[in-house]
Amino acid sequence: MSVPGGSPQPSYLLATLKADCVNKPFHQRCQDLIRVIEDFPAKELHAIFPWLVEQVFGSLDGSIVGWNLRCLQEKTAPLEFHSALFFLDPSGAMMKLVYKLQVEEYRYDFPVSFLPGPVRASIQERVLPECPFYHNKIQFPSSGGLGLHLSLNAFEYFMFHFAIFLIIQRNFLTGQVCNYSDNAYYILVEKYLNWFLPIEGNVPPPNFSNPGGAVPSPAPRSPSISLTSYGTSPSLLKRHISHQHLVNADPAAQEIWRSETLLQIFVEMWLHHYSLEMYHKMQSPHAKLEALHHRLSVSSTSYISPALHGSFHSYQESFQPTEEHVLLVRVLVKHLHAFANSLRPEQSASSTHSHTPSPMEELKRIVIQRFIQPKLYIFLQHCFGHWPLDASFRAVLEMWLSYVQPWRYVPERSASPVGNETQNRAVPEKWASFVQENLLMYTKLFLRYLNRAIRSDLVSPKNALMLFRVAKVFSQPNLPEMIQKGEQLLLEPEPVMPHRQHRLLMSPSLGGSFLSSWQPPITDTSFKIKSHVYSLEGQDFQYTQMFGSETRNLVLRLAQLIIQAKQTAKSLSDQYPDMGSQSLFSWFGLNSPDHNNTYTGNDLDEAGYDSIRKTDEHLEKALEYLCQVFRVSMCISYCSYVQTDD
């Protein structure tokens, strides 16, 4: 791109770049942008930054597609694919631009109206969200302004748009087929996770020349509107904001601010979606009363916000995660397990010894429980309750199974793959604390899956495979015993039940860091399990035991359905042994092509003789594994079915 007369006015630079979008091919525009970012000072680049972000990711309302990263694939557009990845790489030109603007402390507005529903509704009600990330960024609109917004630095602004790109429905070209796992967006998610949450070492320093040294961590900013925090009084709110100057002054804390920011944004944008009922459940009684008092006190002011109930209800009804969304959440889960598991044993135990852990070590130690566990549990609850009863549920199932098996993502184990692992390996005893501190992830979600499986067509090869996967995972030696021990500790009577801590104690300080306020670890296992359960489900939660009589009856019912499905599958394979790989439905003349790639019911229409035989094997093994987990005799299962059948 040639610009006459040296350094142009920002408006001229922006106009020239807009004209290039019409007149030049994509790869040439990327090369021009790289030169612009390299040659022009931050003042000129500041004016084009919001426009450039929108060009890449599209508009927040979904009307502008942008670079269409979710459908950009190497096999269909190799030149554009590699140009985009090169430009958006963590060490590429776009991130160099971000760091240039970061040094100058420019701020950019992000509308609150595009945040996930729970956060949006609470901010509109002037209730401070529980995530500390928002606490120093909320800005009240000036006279004639467009509405509430967040004031973000360049890194936050870029990552907000990058993360929300996944959940905004774009107007893709008709007939455009987008592969979920090899498109540019998927690859960039993996690149950013590996770069900013490294398994080994620290985050590489910014790759740009800064006369003043390293990129500074964000400066503290006070909210410009009065907000009520969950369990925090207004006086405490001011005190914590003033204290944040000390937090940011710590050079060690600056080491991971990009890591922490990226993680908080991914979790907030991708997982923070839940119902009004869950919203109330996750607040302490003190916070509920305080929020109610505050809403009453501001009801007579000129600021009239939507009713909290209406905001949540309309959002919850409309929010339905896509399969692509769930697949990328699984990428996040797997990476965070590997990230946390890369903490060496001596580092993990250092918190109780003389060695002071580095900020990155501390982040690895708390990342699962503090950052992702609560919101992922709620997200999974939503998916289990609202996902269609079809084979696409496999994406949700595998994401759940990834979370409950952190031992699969130990770096040393990944470096030396082990054959096909046809035999279940025993879960090492060191994982007992993880299982027990994530008890609901195992027990309540297992019960929810059990109810889905009972309502599913188990003759379907895909449904049979899902059942086999769950049964195999839960039958791993030692795992049922760990879960059962956790249930015993949860139900252990105490003189005084532990009360859920106020949000002030459970949440980080208002500066936005989880590390600055991390409480000393609780050593009493029973108390930790109770805290986990009641913090997610509330004090009035009535727990259903996974190893209780109610669940056992469900397992026996499922065993009957498995045996019935096995007999159906066997009769089909016996009746038509010579059809080979020909579709069963095609053999009957019942095929109906599905041009929209949607699921139309039982997937036997895709199955041949080999697939039916595999279904029988999956059902047989699933039944065996379930009987192992619940110590149910196979003979009892068969007899139960025979008695019911008679």
Side-chain angles (χ1 to χ4, degrees):
M1 183 187 77
S2 60
V3 180
S7 179
Q9 294 296 315
S11 58
Y12 184 82
L13 176 60
L14 182 58
T16 304
L17 291 172
K18 287 182 177 179
D20 287 348
C21 289
V22 178
N23 301 322
K24 291 186 177 181
F26 179 80
H27 70 278
Q28 183 61 54
R29 301 201 310 267
C30 287
Q31 292 299 319
D32 288 346
L33 284 168
I34 291 172
R35 285 193 290 271
V36 166
I37 291 167
E38 187 68 38
D39 296 343
F40 289 106
K43 183 178 179 180
E44 280 83 359
L45 297 174
H46 165 60
I48 70 167
F49 183 58
W51 169 84
L52 179 56
V53 170
E54 186 174 87
Q55 283 298 299
V56 173
F57 300 117
S59 58
L60 290 171
D61 63 9
S63 60
I64 299 174
V65 175
W67 288 5
N68 203 9
L69 296 173
R70 283 160 52 192
C71 289
L72 186 58
Q73 297 173 252
E74 183 176 27
K75 63 183 178 183
T76 55
L79 187 57
E80 291 81 359
F81 175 84
H82 288 290
S83 297
L85 287 184
F86 184 75
F87 183 77
L88 296 171
D89 189 84
S91 62
M94 187 62 158
M95 205 55 68
K96 184 179 293 187
L97 168 60
V98 165
Y99 296 143
K100 269 192 175 184
L101 300 173
Q102 188 82 24
V103 169
E104 301 299 329
E105 299 187 4
Y106 288 116
R107 311 296 295 188
Y108 303 91
D109 292 344
F110 188 94
V112 166
S113 58
F114 286 101
L115 294 176
V119 177
R120 181 180 69 237
S122 63
I123 292 176
Q124 289 172 342
E125 287 296 304
R126 300 192 180 193
V127 177
L128 198 60
E130 87 279 9
C131 177
F133 180 82
Y134 301 104
H135 292 181
N136 59 354
K137 298 176 175 64
I138 303 166
Q139 301 292 305
F140 190 70
S142 58
S143 178
L146 297 178
L148 283 166
H149 62 271
L150 303 180
S151 179
L152 306 175
N153 63 47
F155 185 81
E156 293 164 345
Y157 185 79
F158 174 81
M159 285 301 171
F160 255 74
H161 282 267
F162 179 80
I164 206 170
F165 177 73
L166 175 61
I167 60 177
I168 291 179
Q169 296 304 309
R170 302 289 175 184
N171 298 321
F172 295 128
L173 298 175
T174 304
Q176 193 169 21
V177 178
C178 304
N179 189 297
Y180 295 149
S181 61
D182 63 359
N183 60 61
Y185 185 75
Y186 185 100
I187 292 170
L188 285 170
V189 168
E190 291 186 319
K191 282 178 174 285
Y192 290 160
L193 288 173
N194 287 321
W195 186 274
F196 294 109
L197 295 164
I199 306 302
E200 296 292 338
N202 293 313
V203 180
N207 181 27
F208 85 114
S209 57
N210 174 21
V215 177
S217 60
R221 296 175 64 87
S222 300
S224 61
I225 60 174
S226 173
L227 292 169
T228 299
S229 174
Y230 297 169
T232 307
S233 66
S235 61
L236 288 173
L237 184 68
K238 294 176 183 176
R239 181 161 64 91
H240 279 278
I241 289 174
S242 63
H243 172 70
Q244 180 58 21
H245 288 278
L246 300 177
V247 175
N248 279 337
D250 180 8
Q254 296 187 19
E255 178 187 329
I256 62 160
W257 73 263
R258 289 175 293 161
S259 306
E260 204 176 346
T261 298
L262 174 134
L263 181 53
Q264 288 188 64
I265 291 173
F266 279 14
V267 169
E268 283 297 302
M269 292 296 104
W270 295 352
L271 298 179
H272 199 164
H273 309 278
Y274 47 74
S275 66
L276 175 64
E277 178 187 3
M278 185 61 71
Y279 171 79
H280 285 312
K281 190 181 293 182
M282 292 186 71
Q283 296 185 75
S284 67
H286 173 74
K288 293 176 186 176
L289 290 173
E290 195 167 298
L292 176 60
H293 176 267
H294 183 75
R295 284 198 290 274
L296 292 173
S297 68
V298 300
S299 60
S300 60
T301 66
S302 58
Y303 175 72
I304 307 296
S305 62
L308 188 63
H309 190 283
S311 300
F312 271 99
H313 180 74
S314 59
Y315 179 79
Q316 186 68 10
E317 289 299 316
S318 61
F319 175 73
Q320 293 295 339
T322 62
E323 189 174 348
E324 180 186 18
H325 182 169
V326 171
L327 288 171
L328 279 167
V329 171
R330 187 184 181 216
V331 170
L332 174 64
V333 166
K334 291 166 65 176
H335 183 84
L336 291 183
H337 273 321
F339 177 71
N341 293 339
S342 67
L343 187 67
R344 293 188 295 274
E346 62 271 18
Q347 295 172 332
S348 180
S350 64
S351 58
T352 58
H353 295 83
S354 58
H355 169 69
T356 301
S358 70
M360 187 63 76
E361 290 170 358
E362 188 70 2
L363 181 60
K364 289 180 178 183
R365 187 172 68 85
I366 69 171
V367 66
I368 298 296
Q369 299 297 107
R370 294 285 289 181
F371 277 88
I372 195 173
Q373 186 223 58
K375 288 187 174 70
L376 180 64
Y377 173 71
I378 297 163
F379 182 79
L380 281 167
Q381 286 262 65
H382 179 79
C383 290
F384 273 63
H386 294 82
W387 203 274
L389 202 65
D390 62 30
S392 67
F393 186 72
R394 175 78 185 274
V396 177
L397 183 111
E398 294 297 341
M399 186 249 289
W400 169 48
L401 296 181
S402 290
Y403 182 83
V404 299
Q405 297 181 92
W407 45 86
R408 292 185 59 204
Y409 308 104
V410 177
E412 297 81 15
R413 186 178 186 274
S414 302
S416 54
V418 184
N420 294 326
E421 297 192 11
T422 53
Q423 297 298 321
N424 273 359
R425 290 169 168 264
V427 178
E429 191 61 34
K430 70 175 184 177
W431 294 106
S433 59
F434 178 91
V435 172
Q436 291 158 6
E437 291 167 29
N438 289 270
L439 188 64
L440 292 176
M441 287 285 199
Y442 293 88
T443 60
K444 186 171 181 181
L445 292 182
F446 180 85
L447 282 168
R448 298 205 68 167
Y449 174 72
L450 212 56
N451 281 293
R452 283 187 66 98
I454 285 172
R455 293 181 290 127
S456 300
D457 176 11
L458 297 179
V459 182
S460 157
K462 294 176 182 177
N463 288 336
L465 175 59
M466 285 191 280
L467 178 60
F468 165 77
R469 290 280 298 121
V470 173
K472 182 178 181 181
V473 166
F474 277 81
S475 70
Q476 292 174 87
N478 290 350
L479 182 56
E481 289 77 13
M482 291 176 182
I483 297 172
Q484 195 163 16
K485 178 63 175 177
E487 290 195 320
Q488 292 169 356
L489 290 168
L490 172 65
L491 300 173
E492 188 177 88
E494 290 188 76
V496 180
M497 290 294 282
H499 292 290
R500 185 168 186 261
Q501 301 179 50
H502 285 176
R503 185 68 73 177
L504 174 63
L505 299 178
M506 295 294 286
S507 296
S509 67
L510 298 179
S513 174
F514 271 84
L515 301 185
S516 57
S517 65
W518 175 241
Q519 303 296 316
I522 302 169
T523 55
D524 181 74
T525 305
S526 177
F527 182 76
K528 283 196 285 188
I529 295 172
K530 289 178 169 68
S531 297
H532 154 69
V533 170
Y534 297 131
S535 66
L536 292 177
E537 292 289 353
Q539 291 284 356
D540 300 328
F541 177 55
Q542 298 296 313
Y543 182 76
T544 301
Q545 295 184 59
M546 179 173 166
F547 290 96
S549 58
E550 184 177 336
T551 306
R552 183 183 175 89
N553 290 335
L554 282 175
V555 171
L556 289 174
R557 172 62 181 150
L558 179 59
Q560 295 170 4
L561 296 173
I562 291 172
I563 296 164
Q564 183 179 0
K566 275 174 52 63
Q567 291 183 344
T568 302
K570 187 175 185 304
S571 65
L572 286 172
S573 61
D574 289 346
Q575 190 171 358
Y576 308 106
D578 300 323
M579 56 189 301
S581 60
Q582 182 185 2
S583 160
L584 288 175
F585 278 24
S586 175
W587 192 91
F588 282 111
L590 298 176
N591 253 14
S592 56
D594 177 16
H595 300 293
N596 297 319
N597 237 359
T598 56
Y599 184 82
T600 57
N602 189 309
D603 58 344
L604 277 174
D605 56 338
E606 302 172 4
Y609 175 75
D610 290 341
S611 184
I612 295 297
R613 185 177 59 189
K614 196 69 177 175
T615 298
D616 182 72
E617 293 174 5
H618 283 150
L619 292 173
E620 179 72 26
K621 294 299 292 184
L623 183 61
E624 178 185 331
Y625 289 141
L626 287 171
C627 290
Q628 289 176 12
V629 172
F630 292 94
R631 302 180 181 90
V632 175
S633 168
M634 293 280 282
C635 295
I636 293 176
S637 300
Y638 276 94
C639 290
S640 298
Y641 170 71
V642 172
Q643 290 169 5
T644 304
D645 195 44
D646 292 343

